[in-house]
Amino acid sequence: QVQVVESGGGLVQAGGSLRLSCTASGTIGRVSAMGWHRQAPGEQRELVAVSISAGRTIYADSVKGRFAISRDNAKNTVYLDMNSLKPEDTAVYYCNVRIRDSSLVEYNYWGQGTQVTVSS
């Protein structure tokens, strides 16, 4: 079993900053990727940023230059530093952990989500 727990959401004014954290625990094989998605009311869930184990990171165009993703592999933890926040960043942010087993099958695990609200 794998548990994924996020923290760090909250209410912030436009232009402010927040840091989200996400830790995976339990029976973990090889973590192939850790990342963040978000879902605003009435919208589909979208990718925000992902850190792939080869050292590659991918960002949504809307957050490039403002958000930074980082990982602590020893702790199975991923962070999302969000700067210059805008009201349109308001959403529930979900952590995603992709784990590869010994048969090279990959499984996705999701956290429960953390609310980020940016006021104008």
Side-chain angles (χ1 to χ4, degrees):
Q1 296 293 334
V2 176
Q3 295 79 42
V4 178
V5 179
E6 306 109 331
S7 62
L11 173 65
V12 64
Q13 288 188 334
S17 300
L18 281 174
R19 186 181 225 206
L20 305 183
S21 301
C22 167
T23 298
S25 61
T27 305
I28 299 176
R30 179 182 176 184
V31 176
S32 58
M34 298 184 81
W36 295 91
H37 292 64
R38 67 186 180 187
Q39 187 168 18
E43 302 290 335
Q44 290 189 332
R45 192 174 296 190
E46 62 175 1
L47 173 71
V48 176
V50 61
S51 171
I52 301 171
S53 292
R56 184 178 168 213
T57 57
I58 300 172
Y59 292 94
D61 287 344
S62 60
V63 305
K64 283 181 181 177
R66 300 189 297 121
F67 290 12
I69 189 170
S70 58
R71 278 169 63 175
D72 183 335
N73 292 324
K75 297 180 180 179
N76 288 321
T77 296
V78 63
Y79 305 97
L80 185 68
D81 289 297
M82 305 184 293
N83 300 302
S84 301
L85 282 160
K86 303 175 182 179
E88 50 263 43
D89 294 318
T90 295
V92 178
Y93 284 68
Y94 296 91
C95 179
N96 172 261
V97 179
R98 190 187 311 157
I99 294 173
R100 184 178 299 162
D101 69 11
S102 57
S103 301
L104 303 183
V105 175
E106 293 192 325
Y107 299 87
N108 279 299
Y109 296 90
W110 294 90
Q112 79 286 355
T114 185
Q115 177 71 45
V116 172
T117 303
V118 184
S119 63
S120 57

